[in-house]
Amino acid sequence: MHFKTLAESFDKIEHVSSRLAMTDLLADLFKKSKADEIARIVYLCQGKLAPAFKDIEVGMGESYVEEGIAKASGYSKADVDKEFKKRGDLGLVAQEFFSKKKQRSLFSSELSIGKVFKNLIKIATVSGSGSQQLKIKLLAELLNSASPIEAKYLVRIPLGNLRLGIGDPTIMDSFAKNLSEEARKNKALVKGVEKKLKEKKEEKREAELEKKIRLKVRELIESKYNVYSDLGGLAEKLAEKGLKGLEKIEITPGVPIRPTLAERLPTAKEIVEKLGRCAVEAKYDGFRLAIHKDKGKVTIFSRRQENVTDMFPEITDAVRKQIKAVDAIFEGEALVFNEETEEYFPFQVTIQRKRKYDIDKMAKEFPLTLFAFDLLYANGKSLMNLPFKKRRERLGKMIGKGKTIELTESIETDKTEEVESFFNESVEKGLEGIIAKDLNAGYIAGARKFAWIKLKRSYKGELGDTVDTVILGFFKGKGKRTQFGLGGLLTGVYDEKEDKFKSLAKIGTGMTEEMLSDLHKMLSKIKEGKKPARIDSELKPDYWVEPKYVIEVNADEITRSPIHTAGKKKGEQGFALRFPRMIKIRQDKKAEQATTVKEIEAMFKRQKHVGLSE
Ligand code: ATP
């Protein structure tokens, strides 16, 4: 495919705002893509060159991109910079400059996806002396052959923000659209769907069937994505083999799995009522790590599925020594723990281990203990469908002697008092609380279900839990805060159904002066000239930002709000946080892993329910 076709699709996508229209455009684009190029096209739609866990970022600073534009367009860097200051988007600057380009390249030829990809990969991977100049040259080389529309996106990719508002859910919707014709011919699938049809009238039934088939296919795709976090790889299998390609996708060591998540209940009594006899484990406050062992090769993924292997050498060593299985995927929480005094260190100490330098020194000073809590795969077999009780037994048997990897503390009970006293013991030890687990449940990748229920130290007079919100924009500081350039944040939560971020709270407290200026620095880099496509907010901050950073927030309660859009339905108000205060940045979460609108709704209901019973 020519890069021009992709750039033109991007341009159309940029100019529509409904998710349906976006899905149709993406579906057309993927239909036109050949099986051997579709993976690369999907990565480019995600603004990447590879799945996130492969850690290949094109990453060029604005100044170098400006040089690239200048080099290829014949304008000076100062001209480019001046226009950038005016427009706030180098993509638009490139588009404009290339439409009135001063010098024409002698050998400009049509850019293919292959050529673009080759140069971008080089830009992403060259290092050492002279590498910046080489990066500029590689970008300029592409720009030399580019039309104005192509230039716009060629510039935005290395800057790490395509500004299209395509989320993974929309990409999956478009895969489902392209597969629905084939699915219509799949007798078993149609039969299963037909059973659930509600419409009686023949003509309406047909439309309902169509919709349900598409939803079923979408569900199948997502269930695979949950255990195989590589949308490009998935697209390739679908393009090669259609629906049958889905069967070929299996949990694989080295490819991260989306983590299972815990629901909340406010009391031990309700937990026991919900689960009956259950396992109750201590809730540790550290890093959630997924460990993949493939013979001698150990890979560690963070909660946001980044490859963090290099940060934790003592864990990698321990996996080789302590884990008896040839290959395995298991999960645990890692934190600094003093075995002699049996003291768990607070998160502020553990977080120091998240660094790229002085790793060995820090590993000696603050060694981590990994408290393992689940086993998903061992010796070539997926264990995700085994009941939790069996998975934990196998996990226990798999861990050999050693100090670094241990099983989580756990009891099995159906008595409220025992859950309560285990909770109190855990809190006394400085832990966060407990997680109760359904003994019979399989591992539910990527979803928050009642297979796990968390109960945390209660924040007296406040919400039973903190909320993780996404920063959507910021307000200029007033008075004393003028000096920091930032006085408050507009934040929101994730609406999974619509794949949008909806506003929930304006936050101006809880930040130290240092935090304010750090936030300003961080957010200035991702400022947007207009409201990003995936944000839904009626409140307008001074500056919009790309929804990227998640912050943990505490508040007194959730209230109904006419201003915010989270949970807002026709004729109903949205939700807001009362007296929100920032606690910290959640570096371990991606925007899509923030608290969801659905969770806010549940927390709101529960809060009322608790109030009534008191
Ligand atoms: P929180 O902010 O409460 O940590 P979260 O949104 O990060 O929640 P949840 O899925 O709601 O994530 O809570 C589960 C988290 O608790 C896991 O992601 C994991 O990091 C941590 N954890 C600590 N101890 C355990 C344990 N024994 N079993 C499972 N998860 C545990």
Side-chain angles (χ1 to χ4, degrees), residues 84 109 111 140 181 184 216 278 280 286 302 349 375 397 476 490 501 581 587:
F84 175 43
S109 58
L111 282 172
E181 212 178 294
R184 195 81 171 81
K216 180 74 204 165
C278 57
V280 183
S302 69
V349 175
L375 177 64
K397 283 188 195 141
K476 282 188 248 175
L490 176 67
F501 298 95
R581 316 176 267 288
Q587 288 172 344

Short mmCIF file of all heavy atoms in Angstrom, two decimals, residues 84 109 111 140 181 184 216 278 280 286 302 349 375 397 476 490 501 581 587:
data_model
loop_
_atom_site.label_atom_id
_atom_site.label_comp_id
_atom_site.label_asym_id
_atom_site.label_seq_id
_atom_site.Cartn_x
_atom_site.Cartn_y
_atom_site.Cartn_z
N PHE A 84 5.09 27.05 14.34
CA PHE A 84 4.72 26.08 15.37
C PHE A 84 4.18 26.80 16.61
O PHE A 84 3.17 26.39 17.20
CB PHE A 84 5.94 25.21 15.72
CG PHE A 84 5.71 24.25 16.86
CD1 PHE A 84 4.53 23.51 16.95
CD2 PHE A 84 6.68 24.06 17.84
CE1 PHE A 84 4.32 22.62 18.00
CE2 PHE A 84 6.47 23.18 18.90
CZ PHE A 84 5.29 22.46 18.97
N SER A 109 9.68 10.06 -5.09
CA SER A 109 8.90 8.94 -5.62
C SER A 109 7.78 8.66 -4.64
O SER A 109 7.77 9.16 -3.53
CB SER A 109 9.80 7.71 -5.74
OG SER A 109 10.32 7.43 -4.47
N LEU A 111 5.79 7.16 -1.81
CA LEU A 111 6.25 6.47 -0.59
C LEU A 111 5.42 5.22 -0.33
O LEU A 111 4.18 5.30 -0.33
CB LEU A 111 6.07 7.40 0.62
CG LEU A 111 7.08 8.50 0.84
CD1 LEU A 111 6.60 9.41 1.97
CD2 LEU A 111 8.43 7.90 1.19
N ALA A 140 13.79 13.70 7.02
CA ALA A 140 13.77 14.62 5.87
C ALA A 140 13.68 13.84 4.57
O ALA A 140 13.00 14.25 3.63
CB ALA A 140 15.02 15.49 5.89
N GLU A 181 -19.36 -10.63 7.53
CA GLU A 181 -19.90 -11.37 6.38
C GLU A 181 -19.54 -12.86 6.50
O GLU A 181 -20.38 -13.73 6.31
CB GLU A 181 -19.30 -10.78 5.11
CG GLU A 181 -20.24 -10.84 3.92
CD GLU A 181 -19.56 -10.19 2.73
OE1 GLU A 181 -19.34 -8.96 2.79
OE2 GLU A 181 -19.24 -10.92 1.77
N ARG A 184 -21.50 -14.59 9.18
CA ARG A 184 -22.88 -14.86 8.77
C ARG A 184 -23.01 -16.26 8.16
O ARG A 184 -24.05 -16.89 8.23
CB ARG A 184 -23.23 -13.78 7.72
CG ARG A 184 -24.66 -13.62 7.41
CD ARG A 184 -25.32 -12.75 8.48
NE ARG A 184 -26.68 -12.38 8.10
CZ ARG A 184 -27.72 -13.16 8.25
NH1 ARG A 184 -27.61 -14.33 8.79
NH2 ARG A 184 -28.91 -12.76 7.86
N LYS A 216 -20.93 -10.51 18.60
CA LYS A 216 -20.33 -11.79 19.00
C LYS A 216 -18.88 -11.86 18.49
O LYS A 216 -17.97 -12.24 19.22
CB LYS A 216 -21.18 -12.93 18.41
CG LYS A 216 -20.69 -14.31 18.72
CD LYS A 216 -20.99 -14.67 20.16
CE LYS A 216 -20.05 -15.74 20.65
NZ LYS A 216 -20.07 -15.88 22.09
N CYS A 278 -14.07 -18.62 50.51
CA CYS A 278 -13.17 -17.97 49.54
C CYS A 278 -11.74 -17.92 50.08
O CYS A 278 -11.51 -18.20 51.26
CB CYS A 278 -13.66 -16.56 49.23
SG CYS A 278 -13.82 -15.52 50.69
N VAL A 280 -8.64 -15.56 51.06
CA VAL A 280 -8.45 -14.14 51.40
C VAL A 280 -6.94 -13.91 51.47
O VAL A 280 -6.23 -14.60 52.21
CB VAL A 280 -9.11 -13.79 52.74
CG1 VAL A 280 -8.95 -12.30 53.02
CG2 VAL A 280 -10.57 -14.17 52.73
N GLY A 286 2.73 -2.53 46.03
CA GLY A 286 4.02 -2.44 45.33
C GLY A 286 3.78 -2.35 43.84
O GLY A 286 2.87 -1.65 43.41
N SER A 302 5.06 -4.84 33.24
CA SER A 302 4.40 -4.04 34.27
C SER A 302 2.89 -4.15 34.10
O SER A 302 2.40 -4.73 33.14
CB SER A 302 4.80 -2.58 34.12
OG SER A 302 4.20 -2.07 32.93
N VAL A 349 8.99 3.92 49.25
CA VAL A 349 10.32 3.31 49.19
C VAL A 349 10.41 2.43 47.94
O VAL A 349 11.36 2.51 47.16
CB VAL A 349 10.59 2.46 50.46
CG1 VAL A 349 11.93 1.75 50.35
CG2 VAL A 349 10.54 3.35 51.70
N LEU A 375 -1.09 -18.09 38.77
CA LEU A 375 -0.34 -18.81 37.75
C LEU A 375 -1.25 -19.00 36.54
O LEU A 375 -2.36 -19.53 36.66
CB LEU A 375 0.09 -20.17 38.30
CG LEU A 375 0.82 -21.10 37.34
CD1 LEU A 375 2.16 -20.51 36.91
CD2 LEU A 375 1.07 -22.47 38.01
N LYS A 397 3.54 -25.21 44.33
CA LYS A 397 4.47 -26.31 44.05
C LYS A 397 5.60 -25.88 43.12
O LYS A 397 6.67 -26.46 43.12
CB LYS A 397 3.70 -27.46 43.40
CG LYS A 397 2.90 -28.26 44.40
CD LYS A 397 2.32 -29.49 43.75
CE LYS A 397 1.24 -30.07 44.65
NZ LYS A 397 0.10 -30.58 43.91
N LYS A 476 -4.53 27.68 33.94
CA LYS A 476 -3.39 28.53 34.30
C LYS A 476 -3.50 28.88 35.77
O LYS A 476 -4.60 29.02 36.29
CB LYS A 476 -3.45 29.83 33.49
CG LYS A 476 -3.00 29.68 32.06
CD LYS A 476 -2.91 31.04 31.43
CE LYS A 476 -3.98 31.14 30.37
NZ LYS A 476 -4.14 32.40 29.72
N LEU A 490 -8.14 19.54 34.96
CA LEU A 490 -9.44 18.97 34.63
C LEU A 490 -9.20 17.49 34.42
O LEU A 490 -8.32 17.09 33.65
CB LEU A 490 -10.00 19.59 33.33
CG LEU A 490 -11.32 18.96 32.87
CD1 LEU A 490 -12.44 19.27 33.86
CD2 LEU A 490 -11.72 19.46 31.48
N PHE A 501 -13.08 9.68 27.16
CA PHE A 501 -12.75 10.11 28.51
C PHE A 501 -13.71 11.22 28.90
O PHE A 501 -13.84 12.21 28.19
CB PHE A 501 -11.30 10.59 28.58
CG PHE A 501 -10.34 9.49 28.24
CD1 PHE A 501 -9.85 9.34 26.94
CD2 PHE A 501 -9.98 8.55 29.19
CE1 PHE A 501 -9.01 8.30 26.61
CE2 PHE A 501 -9.12 7.51 28.87
CZ PHE A 501 -8.64 7.39 27.58
N ARG A 581 -8.87 15.57 46.03
CA ARG A 581 -7.49 15.93 46.36
C ARG A 581 -6.55 14.94 45.66
O ARG A 581 -6.78 13.74 45.72
CB ARG A 581 -7.25 15.83 47.86
CG ARG A 581 -8.38 16.41 48.67
CD ARG A 581 -8.21 16.22 50.14
NE ARG A 581 -8.86 15.02 50.65
CZ ARG A 581 -10.17 14.86 50.77
NH1 ARG A 581 -11.00 15.79 50.37
NH2 ARG A 581 -10.67 13.74 51.27
N GLN A 587 1.96 6.02 37.80
CA GLN A 587 2.80 5.75 36.63
C GLN A 587 2.52 4.36 36.05
O GLN A 587 2.88 4.08 34.92
CB GLN A 587 4.27 5.83 37.02
CG GLN A 587 4.71 7.25 37.26
CD GLN A 587 6.10 7.30 37.82
OE1 GLN A 587 6.65 6.32 38.30
NE2 GLN A 587 6.69 8.47 37.76
#
